[in-house]
mmCIF file of all heavy atoms in Angstrom:
data_model
loop_
_atom_site.group_PDB
_atom_site.id
_atom_site.type_symbol
_atom_site.label_atom_id
_atom_site.label_comp_id
_atom_site.label_asym_id
_atom_site.label_seq_id
_atom_site.Cartn_x
_atom_site.Cartn_y
_atom_site.Cartn_z
ATOM 1 N N GLN A 1 21.011 -80.258 -56.881
ATOM 2 C CA GLN A 1 20.344 -81.305 -55.961
ATOM 3 C C GLN A 1 19.918 -80.617 -54.751
ATOM 4 O O GLN A 1 18.863 -80.893 -54.163
ATOM 5 C CB GLN A 1 21.322 -82.395 -55.813
ATOM 6 C CG GLN A 1 20.586 -83.592 -55.035
ATOM 7 C CD GLN A 1 19.485 -84.176 -55.909
ATOM 8 O OE1 GLN A 1 19.638 -84.410 -57.012
ATOM 9 N NE2 GLN A 1 18.304 -84.290 -55.333
ATOM 10 N N THR A 2 20.806 -79.779 -54.107
ATOM 11 C CA THR A 2 20.420 -79.119 -52.793
ATOM 12 C C THR A 2 19.271 -78.221 -52.977
ATOM 13 O O THR A 2 18.364 -78.263 -52.122
ATOM 14 C CB THR A 2 21.617 -78.252 -52.274
ATOM 15 O OG1 THR A 2 22.711 -79.185 -52.196
ATOM 16 C CG2 THR A 2 21.329 -77.591 -51.042
ATOM 17 N N GLY A 3 19.054 -77.462 -54.048
ATOM 18 C CA GLY A 3 17.916 -76.621 -54.210
ATOM 19 C C GLY A 3 16.714 -77.455 -54.334
ATOM 20 O O GLY A 3 15.632 -77.098 -53.769
ATOM 21 N N MET A 4 16.728 -78.473 -55.182
ATOM 22 C CA MET A 4 15.568 -79.369 -55.361
ATOM 23 C C MET A 4 15.127 -80.016 -54.036
ATOM 24 O O MET A 4 13.995 -80.013 -53.707
ATOM 25 C CB MET A 4 15.908 -80.477 -56.425
ATOM 26 C CG MET A 4 14.604 -81.171 -56.925
ATOM 27 S SD MET A 4 15.011 -82.257 -58.270
ATOM 28 C CE MET A 4 15.773 -81.255 -59.536
ATOM 29 N N ASP A 5 16.078 -80.453 -53.312
ATOM 30 C CA ASP A 5 15.791 -81.134 -51.982
ATOM 31 C C ASP A 5 15.093 -80.144 -51.037
ATOM 32 O O ASP A 5 14.149 -80.453 -50.353
ATOM 33 C CB ASP A 5 17.085 -81.758 -51.359
ATOM 34 C CG ASP A 5 17.586 -82.955 -52.135
ATOM 35 O OD1 ASP A 5 16.917 -83.568 -52.952
ATOM 36 O OD2 ASP A 5 18.697 -83.310 -51.880
ATOM 37 N N LEU A 6 15.697 -78.928 -50.980
ATOM 38 C CA LEU A 6 15.152 -77.915 -50.025
ATOM 39 C C LEU A 6 13.722 -77.557 -50.434
ATOM 40 O O LEU A 6 12.837 -77.455 -49.639
ATOM 41 C CB LEU A 6 16.058 -76.685 -50.057
ATOM 42 C CG LEU A 6 15.499 -75.556 -49.190
ATOM 43 C CD1 LEU A 6 15.476 -75.896 -47.723
ATOM 44 C CD2 LEU A 6 16.347 -74.288 -49.315
ATOM 45 N N ALA A 7 13.464 -77.324 -51.751
ATOM 46 C CA ALA A 7 12.177 -76.934 -52.241
ATOM 47 C C ALA A 7 11.154 -78.037 -51.903
ATOM 48 O O ALA A 7 10.067 -77.668 -51.416
ATOM 49 C CB ALA A 7 12.218 -76.670 -53.698
ATOM 50 N N LYS A 8 11.541 -79.301 -52.114
ATOM 51 C CA LYS A 8 10.595 -80.391 -51.828
ATOM 52 C C LYS A 8 10.347 -80.472 -50.274
ATOM 53 O O LYS A 8 9.170 -80.773 -49.843
ATOM 54 C CB LYS A 8 11.208 -81.698 -52.239
ATOM 55 C CG LYS A 8 11.182 -81.902 -53.762
ATOM 56 C CD LYS A 8 11.781 -83.203 -54.086
ATOM 57 C CE LYS A 8 11.924 -83.407 -55.606
ATOM 58 N NZ LYS A 8 12.591 -84.693 -55.992
ATOM 59 N N GLU A 9 11.390 -80.257 -49.464
ATOM 60 C CA GLU A 9 11.275 -80.220 -48.064
ATOM 61 C C GLU A 9 10.265 -79.050 -47.590
ATOM 62 O O GLU A 9 9.409 -79.344 -46.788
ATOM 63 C CB GLU A 9 12.581 -80.083 -47.403
ATOM 64 C CG GLU A 9 12.595 -80.019 -45.858
ATOM 65 C CD GLU A 9 13.933 -79.777 -45.241
ATOM 66 O OE1 GLU A 9 14.904 -80.270 -45.825
ATOM 67 O OE2 GLU A 9 13.970 -79.037 -44.229
ATOM 68 N N LEU A 10 10.466 -77.919 -48.125
ATOM 69 C CA LEU A 10 9.712 -76.803 -47.608
ATOM 70 C C LEU A 10 8.291 -76.902 -48.079
ATOM 71 O O LEU A 10 7.358 -76.485 -47.298
ATOM 72 C CB LEU A 10 10.260 -75.458 -48.170
ATOM 73 C CG LEU A 10 11.610 -75.064 -47.584
ATOM 74 C CD1 LEU A 10 12.134 -73.847 -48.317
ATOM 75 C CD2 LEU A 10 11.553 -74.766 -46.090
ATOM 76 N N VAL A 11 8.022 -77.379 -49.241
ATOM 77 C CA VAL A 11 6.672 -77.437 -49.771
ATOM 78 C C VAL A 11 5.840 -78.438 -48.900
ATOM 79 O O VAL A 11 4.622 -78.313 -48.804
ATOM 80 C CB VAL A 11 6.561 -77.688 -51.282
ATOM 81 C CG1 VAL A 11 6.778 -79.155 -51.540
ATOM 82 C CG2 VAL A 11 5.341 -77.214 -51.883
ATOM 83 N N GLN A 12 6.503 -79.412 -48.249
ATOM 84 C CA GLN A 12 5.720 -80.464 -47.478
ATOM 85 C C GLN A 12 5.136 -79.818 -46.224
ATOM 86 O O GLN A 12 4.311 -80.400 -45.571
ATOM 87 C CB GLN A 12 6.606 -81.577 -47.183
ATOM 88 C CG GLN A 12 7.101 -82.398 -48.325
ATOM 89 C CD GLN A 12 5.915 -82.927 -49.167
ATOM 90 O OE1 GLN A 12 4.934 -83.487 -48.625
ATOM 91 N NE2 GLN A 12 6.027 -82.732 -50.483
ATOM 92 N N GLN A 13 5.597 -78.656 -45.873
ATOM 93 C CA GLN A 13 5.003 -77.998 -44.692
ATOM 94 C C GLN A 13 3.573 -77.452 -44.946
ATOM 95 O O GLN A 13 2.870 -77.101 -43.968
ATOM 96 C CB GLN A 13 5.940 -76.821 -44.259
ATOM 97 C CG GLN A 13 7.228 -77.132 -43.835
ATOM 98 C CD GLN A 13 8.184 -75.944 -43.556
ATOM 99 O OE1 GLN A 13 7.742 -74.874 -43.428
ATOM 100 N NE2 GLN A 13 9.431 -76.230 -43.545
ATOM 101 N N TYR A 14 3.177 -77.427 -46.223
ATOM 102 C CA TYR A 14 1.863 -76.926 -46.571
ATOM 103 C C TYR A 14 1.108 -78.027 -47.183
ATOM 104 O O TYR A 14 1.375 -78.535 -48.334
ATOM 105 C CB TYR A 14 2.007 -75.738 -47.575
ATOM 106 C CG TYR A 14 2.969 -74.711 -47.084
ATOM 107 C CD1 TYR A 14 4.297 -74.640 -47.426
ATOM 108 C CD2 TYR A 14 2.463 -73.652 -46.297
ATOM 109 C CE1 TYR A 14 5.164 -73.775 -46.993
ATOM 110 C CE2 TYR A 14 3.339 -72.701 -45.779
ATOM 111 C CZ TYR A 14 4.699 -72.677 -46.119
ATOM 112 O OH TYR A 14 5.509 -71.744 -45.699
ATOM 113 N N THR A 15 0.017 -78.448 -46.483
ATOM 114 C CA THR A 15 -0.830 -79.623 -46.912
ATOM 115 C C THR A 15 -2.137 -79.170 -47.483
ATOM 116 O O THR A 15 -2.866 -80.034 -47.876
ATOM 117 C CB THR A 15 -0.943 -80.637 -45.751
ATOM 118 O OG1 THR A 15 -1.583 -79.920 -44.744
ATOM 119 C CG2 THR A 15 0.377 -81.129 -45.425
ATOM 120 N N ASN A 16 -2.454 -77.964 -47.418
ATOM 121 C CA ASN A 16 -3.759 -77.480 -47.900
ATOM 122 C C ASN A 16 -3.553 -76.465 -49.074
ATOM 123 O O ASN A 16 -2.668 -75.638 -49.083
ATOM 124 C CB ASN A 16 -4.562 -76.784 -46.809
ATOM 125 C CG ASN A 16 -4.993 -77.785 -45.803
ATOM 126 O OD1 ASN A 16 -5.290 -78.826 -46.035
ATOM 127 N ND2 ASN A 16 -4.932 -77.368 -44.441
ATOM 128 N N ASP A 17 -4.392 -76.618 -50.107
ATOM 129 C CA ASP A 17 -4.477 -75.684 -51.147
ATOM 130 C C ASP A 17 -3.194 -75.848 -52.085
ATOM 131 O O ASP A 17 -2.486 -76.632 -52.090
ATOM 132 C CB ASP A 17 -4.723 -74.260 -50.673
ATOM 133 C CG ASP A 17 -5.688 -73.485 -51.502
ATOM 134 O OD1 ASP A 17 -6.022 -73.929 -52.630
ATOM 135 O OD2 ASP A 17 -6.141 -72.445 -51.083
ATOM 136 N N TYR A 18 -3.070 -74.737 -52.880
ATOM 137 C CA TYR A 18 -1.933 -74.650 -53.792
ATOM 138 C C TYR A 18 -0.760 -73.852 -53.171
ATOM 139 O O TYR A 18 -1.011 -72.885 -52.461
ATOM 140 C CB TYR A 18 -2.395 -73.878 -55.102
ATOM 141 C CG TYR A 18 -3.351 -74.653 -55.948
ATOM 142 C CD1 TYR A 18 -4.678 -74.493 -55.726
ATOM 143 C CD2 TYR A 18 -2.978 -75.567 -56.814
ATOM 144 C CE1 TYR A 18 -5.669 -75.109 -56.456
ATOM 145 C CE2 TYR A 18 -3.846 -76.328 -57.571
ATOM 146 C CZ TYR A 18 -5.266 -76.125 -57.408
ATOM 147 O OH TYR A 18 -6.109 -76.726 -58.150
ATOM 148 N N VAL A 19 0.420 -74.337 -53.461
ATOM 149 C CA VAL A 19 1.537 -73.646 -52.856
ATOM 150 C C VAL A 19 2.671 -73.570 -53.990
ATOM 151 O O VAL A 19 2.941 -74.606 -54.660
ATOM 152 C CB VAL A 19 2.146 -74.522 -51.644
ATOM 153 C CG1 VAL A 19 3.463 -73.810 -51.108
ATOM 154 C CG2 VAL A 19 1.115 -74.579 -50.571
ATOM 155 N N LEU A 20 3.246 -72.473 -54.051
ATOM 156 C CA LEU A 20 4.480 -72.233 -54.905
ATOM 157 C C LEU A 20 5.675 -71.848 -53.924
ATOM 158 O O LEU A 20 5.519 -70.866 -53.173
ATOM 159 C CB LEU A 20 4.260 -71.094 -55.893
ATOM 160 C CG LEU A 20 5.422 -70.567 -56.627
ATOM 161 C CD1 LEU A 20 6.107 -71.667 -57.550
ATOM 162 C CD2 LEU A 20 5.118 -69.359 -57.452
ATOM 163 N N VAL A 21 6.668 -72.589 -53.987
ATOM 164 C CA VAL A 21 7.874 -72.385 -53.200
ATOM 165 C C VAL A 21 9.055 -72.143 -54.097
ATOM 166 O O VAL A 21 9.370 -73.024 -54.942
ATOM 167 C CB VAL A 21 8.149 -73.555 -52.204
ATOM 168 C CG1 VAL A 21 9.544 -73.346 -51.570
ATOM 169 C CG2 VAL A 21 7.099 -73.791 -51.217
ATOM 170 N N VAL A 22 9.631 -70.954 -54.020
ATOM 171 C CA VAL A 22 10.827 -70.656 -54.808
ATOM 172 C C VAL A 22 11.995 -70.562 -53.850
ATOM 173 O O VAL A 22 11.918 -69.893 -52.789
ATOM 174 C CB VAL A 22 10.670 -69.287 -55.589
ATOM 175 C CG1 VAL A 22 11.863 -68.925 -56.348
ATOM 176 C CG2 VAL A 22 9.407 -69.310 -56.382
ATOM 177 N N VAL A 23 13.111 -71.194 -54.173
ATOM 178 C CA VAL A 23 14.248 -71.280 -53.340
ATOM 179 C C VAL A 23 15.604 -71.012 -54.040
ATOM 180 O O VAL A 23 15.654 -71.009 -55.252
ATOM 181 C CB VAL A 23 14.409 -72.708 -52.680
ATOM 182 C CG1 VAL A 23 13.183 -73.099 -51.889
ATOM 183 C CG2 VAL A 23 14.750 -73.782 -53.769
ATOM 184 N N ALA A 24 16.532 -70.500 -53.243
ATOM 185 C CA ALA A 24 17.995 -70.602 -53.553
ATOM 186 C C ALA A 24 18.497 -71.509 -52.484
ATOM 187 O O ALA A 24 18.592 -71.111 -51.288
ATOM 188 C CB ALA A 24 18.518 -69.152 -53.471
ATOM 189 N N GLY A 25 18.807 -72.724 -52.848
ATOM 190 C CA GLY A 25 18.936 -73.796 -51.869
ATOM 191 C C GLY A 25 20.400 -73.822 -51.211
ATOM 192 O O GLY A 25 20.444 -74.516 -50.182
ATOM 193 N N MET A 26 21.332 -73.097 -51.673
ATOM 194 C CA MET A 26 22.580 -73.212 -50.999
ATOM 195 C C MET A 26 22.561 -72.431 -49.583
ATOM 196 O O MET A 26 21.897 -71.327 -49.624
ATOM 197 C CB MET A 26 23.701 -72.661 -51.844
ATOM 198 C CG MET A 26 23.937 -73.401 -53.169
ATOM 199 S SD MET A 26 24.103 -75.231 -52.895
ATOM 200 C CE MET A 26 25.670 -75.301 -52.077
ATOM 201 N N ASN A 27 23.082 -73.006 -48.558
ATOM 202 C CA ASN A 27 23.030 -72.382 -47.275
ATOM 203 C C ASN A 27 23.690 -70.995 -47.158
ATOM 204 O O ASN A 27 23.463 -70.304 -46.203
ATOM 205 C CB ASN A 27 23.485 -73.305 -46.241
ATOM 206 C CG ASN A 27 25.072 -73.589 -46.370
ATOM 207 O OD1 ASN A 27 25.698 -73.169 -47.326
ATOM 208 N ND2 ASN A 27 25.499 -74.395 -45.479
ATOM 209 N N TYR A 28 24.464 -70.564 -48.113
ATOM 210 C CA TYR A 28 25.102 -69.274 -48.148
ATOM 211 C C TYR A 28 24.404 -68.223 -48.864
ATOM 212 O O TYR A 28 24.874 -67.101 -49.012
ATOM 213 C CB TYR A 28 26.551 -69.349 -48.533
ATOM 214 C CG TYR A 28 26.805 -70.039 -49.874
ATOM 215 C CD1 TYR A 28 26.704 -69.309 -51.018
ATOM 216 C CD2 TYR A 28 27.067 -71.389 -49.952
ATOM 217 C CE1 TYR A 28 26.908 -69.920 -52.270
ATOM 218 C CE2 TYR A 28 27.342 -71.999 -51.131
ATOM 219 C CZ TYR A 28 27.268 -71.237 -52.294
ATOM 220 O OH TYR A 28 27.469 -71.823 -53.531
ATOM 221 N N ALA A 29 23.208 -68.593 -49.449
ATOM 222 C CA ALA A 29 22.501 -67.537 -50.248
ATOM 223 C C ALA A 29 22.105 -66.307 -49.531
ATOM 224 O O ALA A 29 22.334 -65.191 -50.004
ATOM 225 C CB ALA A 29 21.227 -68.186 -50.811
ATOM 226 N N GLU A 30 21.730 -66.476 -48.253
ATOM 227 C CA GLU A 30 21.358 -65.308 -47.384
ATOM 228 C C GLU A 30 22.568 -64.482 -47.083
ATOM 229 O O GLU A 30 22.541 -63.279 -47.001
ATOM 230 C CB GLU A 30 20.620 -65.924 -46.159
ATOM 231 C CG GLU A 30 20.113 -64.790 -45.319
ATOM 232 C CD GLU A 30 19.347 -65.347 -44.116
ATOM 233 O OE1 GLU A 30 19.548 -66.528 -43.756
ATOM 234 O OE2 GLU A 30 18.530 -64.612 -43.555
ATOM 235 N N TYR A 31 23.664 -65.161 -46.919
ATOM 236 C CA TYR A 31 24.935 -64.520 -46.655
ATOM 237 C C TYR A 31 25.317 -63.647 -47.822
ATOM 238 O O TYR A 31 25.774 -62.463 -47.582
ATOM 239 C CB TYR A 31 26.065 -65.521 -46.367
ATOM 240 C CG TYR A 31 27.418 -64.920 -46.136
ATOM 241 C CD1 TYR A 31 27.794 -64.342 -44.952
ATOM 242 C CD2 TYR A 31 28.296 -64.840 -47.248
ATOM 243 C CE1 TYR A 31 29.039 -63.745 -44.804
ATOM 244 C CE2 TYR A 31 29.546 -64.186 -47.067
ATOM 245 C CZ TYR A 31 29.984 -63.722 -45.811
ATOM 246 O OH TYR A 31 31.181 -63.155 -45.739
ATOM 247 N N VAL A 32 25.169 -64.088 -49.020
ATOM 248 C CA VAL A 32 25.614 -63.407 -50.223
ATOM 249 C C VAL A 32 24.768 -62.142 -50.295
ATOM 250 O O VAL A 32 25.237 -61.039 -50.611
ATOM 251 C CB VAL A 32 25.434 -64.233 -51.477
ATOM 252 C CG1 VAL A 32 25.486 -63.399 -52.760
ATOM 253 C CG2 VAL A 32 26.411 -65.376 -51.495
ATOM 254 N N GLU A 33 23.400 -62.276 -49.966
ATOM 255 C CA GLU A 33 22.600 -61.012 -50.027
ATOM 256 C C GLU A 33 22.964 -60.047 -48.887
ATOM 257 O O GLU A 33 23.029 -58.896 -49.113
ATOM 258 C CB GLU A 33 21.131 -61.411 -49.891
ATOM 259 C CG GLU A 33 20.494 -61.855 -51.146
ATOM 260 C CD GLU A 33 19.028 -61.898 -51.131
ATOM 261 O OE1 GLU A 33 18.325 -62.013 -50.061
ATOM 262 O OE2 GLU A 33 18.366 -61.870 -52.219
ATOM 263 N N ALA A 34 23.203 -60.535 -47.729
ATOM 264 C CA ALA A 34 23.451 -59.682 -46.558
ATOM 265 C C ALA A 34 24.850 -59.044 -46.577
ATOM 266 O O ALA A 34 24.985 -57.881 -46.437
ATOM 267 C CB ALA A 34 23.172 -60.406 -45.305
ATOM 268 N N MET A 35 25.842 -59.931 -46.775
ATOM 269 C CA MET A 35 27.257 -59.483 -46.644
ATOM 270 C C MET A 35 27.757 -58.866 -47.895
ATOM 271 O O MET A 35 28.509 -57.903 -47.859
ATOM 272 C CB MET A 35 28.075 -60.646 -46.111
ATOM 273 C CG MET A 35 27.702 -61.154 -44.694
ATOM 274 S SD MET A 35 27.641 -59.904 -43.473
ATOM 275 C CE MET A 35 29.373 -59.559 -43.212
ATOM 276 N N ASP A 36 27.503 -59.472 -48.975
ATOM 277 C CA ASP A 36 28.069 -59.007 -50.238
ATOM 278 C C ASP A 36 27.171 -57.990 -50.916
ATOM 279 O O ASP A 36 27.442 -57.539 -52.031
ATOM 280 C CB ASP A 36 28.294 -60.151 -51.204
ATOM 281 C CG ASP A 36 29.423 -61.138 -50.725
ATOM 282 O OD1 ASP A 36 30.192 -60.701 -49.855
ATOM 283 O OD2 ASP A 36 29.536 -62.199 -51.277
ATOM 284 N N ASN A 37 25.936 -57.759 -50.328
ATOM 285 C CA ASN A 37 25.036 -56.764 -50.859
ATOM 286 C C ASN A 37 24.618 -57.143 -52.359
ATOM 287 O O ASN A 37 24.533 -56.267 -53.200
ATOM 288 C CB ASN A 37 25.550 -55.390 -50.753
ATOM 289 C CG ASN A 37 24.437 -54.387 -50.838
ATOM 290 O OD1 ASN A 37 23.247 -54.641 -50.451
ATOM 291 N ND2 ASN A 37 24.752 -53.175 -51.300
ATOM 292 N N LYS A 38 24.446 -58.441 -52.608
ATOM 293 C CA LYS A 38 24.064 -58.834 -53.969
ATOM 294 C C LYS A 38 22.625 -59.456 -53.831
ATOM 295 O O LYS A 38 22.322 -60.117 -52.841
ATOM 296 C CB LYS A 38 24.975 -59.971 -54.478
ATOM 297 C CG LYS A 38 26.405 -59.433 -54.672
ATOM 298 C CD LYS A 38 26.562 -58.495 -55.756
ATOM 299 C CE LYS A 38 27.979 -58.057 -55.887
ATOM 300 N NZ LYS A 38 28.189 -57.113 -57.069
ATOM 301 N N VAL A 39 21.933 -59.306 -54.845
ATOM 302 C CA VAL A 39 20.484 -59.805 -54.864
ATOM 303 C C VAL A 39 20.507 -61.333 -55.219
ATOM 304 O O VAL A 39 21.038 -61.669 -56.255
ATOM 305 C CB VAL A 39 19.588 -59.004 -55.778
ATOM 306 C CG1 VAL A 39 18.223 -59.619 -55.850
ATOM 307 C CG2 VAL A 39 19.531 -57.548 -55.282
ATOM 308 N N VAL A 40 19.916 -62.124 -54.364
ATOM 309 C CA VAL A 40 19.750 -63.598 -54.736
ATOM 310 C C VAL A 40 18.242 -63.812 -54.992
ATOM 311 O O VAL A 40 17.867 -63.984 -56.051
ATOM 312 C CB VAL A 40 20.337 -64.538 -53.690
ATOM 313 C CG1 VAL A 40 20.112 -65.987 -54.088
ATOM 314 C CG2 VAL A 40 21.826 -64.226 -53.440
ATOM 315 N N LEU A 41 17.479 -63.807 -53.922
ATOM 316 C CA LEU A 41 15.985 -63.980 -54.001
ATOM 317 C C LEU A 41 15.136 -62.784 -53.731
ATOM 318 O O LEU A 41 13.941 -62.837 -53.937
ATOM 319 C CB LEU A 41 15.548 -65.171 -53.180
ATOM 320 C CG LEU A 41 15.794 -66.583 -53.676
ATOM 321 C CD1 LEU A 41 15.144 -67.618 -52.697
ATOM 322 C CD2 LEU A 41 15.254 -66.749 -55.065
ATOM 323 N N ALA A 42 15.770 -61.801 -53.108
ATOM 324 C CA ALA A 42 14.945 -60.640 -52.685
ATOM 325 C C ALA A 42 14.055 -60.019 -53.741
ATOM 326 O O ALA A 42 12.908 -59.693 -53.593
ATOM 327 C CB ALA A 42 15.825 -59.642 -52.038
ATOM 328 N N SER A 43 14.652 -59.855 -54.910
ATOM 329 C CA SER A 43 13.926 -59.173 -56.012
ATOM 330 C C SER A 43 12.897 -60.090 -56.642
ATOM 331 O O SER A 43 11.821 -59.684 -56.974
ATOM 332 C CB SER A 43 14.834 -58.771 -57.129
ATOM 333 O OG SER A 43 15.507 -59.861 -57.760
ATOM 334 N N ALA A 44 13.129 -61.452 -56.566
ATOM 335 C CA ALA A 44 12.158 -62.442 -57.012
ATOM 336 C C ALA A 44 10.904 -62.465 -56.076
ATOM 337 O O ALA A 44 9.826 -62.500 -56.492
ATOM 338 C CB ALA A 44 12.780 -63.791 -57.111
ATOM 339 N N GLU A 45 11.157 -62.265 -54.757
ATOM 340 C CA GLU A 45 10.145 -62.159 -53.802
ATOM 341 C C GLU A 45 9.253 -60.935 -54.004
ATOM 342 O O GLU A 45 7.968 -60.991 -54.012
ATOM 343 C CB GLU A 45 10.696 -62.133 -52.366
ATOM 344 C CG GLU A 45 9.572 -62.177 -51.317
ATOM 345 C CD GLU A 45 10.142 -62.168 -49.890
ATOM 346 O OE1 GLU A 45 11.327 -62.096 -49.666
ATOM 347 O OE2 GLU A 45 9.262 -62.264 -48.966
ATOM 348 N N LEU A 46 9.914 -59.771 -54.259
ATOM 349 C CA LEU A 46 9.235 -58.535 -54.477
ATOM 350 C C LEU A 46 8.385 -58.647 -55.807
ATOM 351 O O LEU A 46 7.177 -58.195 -55.845
ATOM 352 C CB LEU A 46 10.147 -57.408 -54.542
ATOM 353 C CG LEU A 46 10.812 -56.994 -53.282
ATOM 354 C CD1 LEU A 46 11.916 -55.963 -53.525
ATOM 355 C CD2 LEU A 46 9.874 -56.589 -52.273
#
């Protein structure tokens, strides 16, 4: 639910054209990548 809510919220920032928003919605996703040195979304972005 958190991921779906975040994706819906972020996509509303873009009102023109086509937009694809990919999320890891938990607030600790960035921490897992930074502190635990584990890939969450970085490889998907690349």
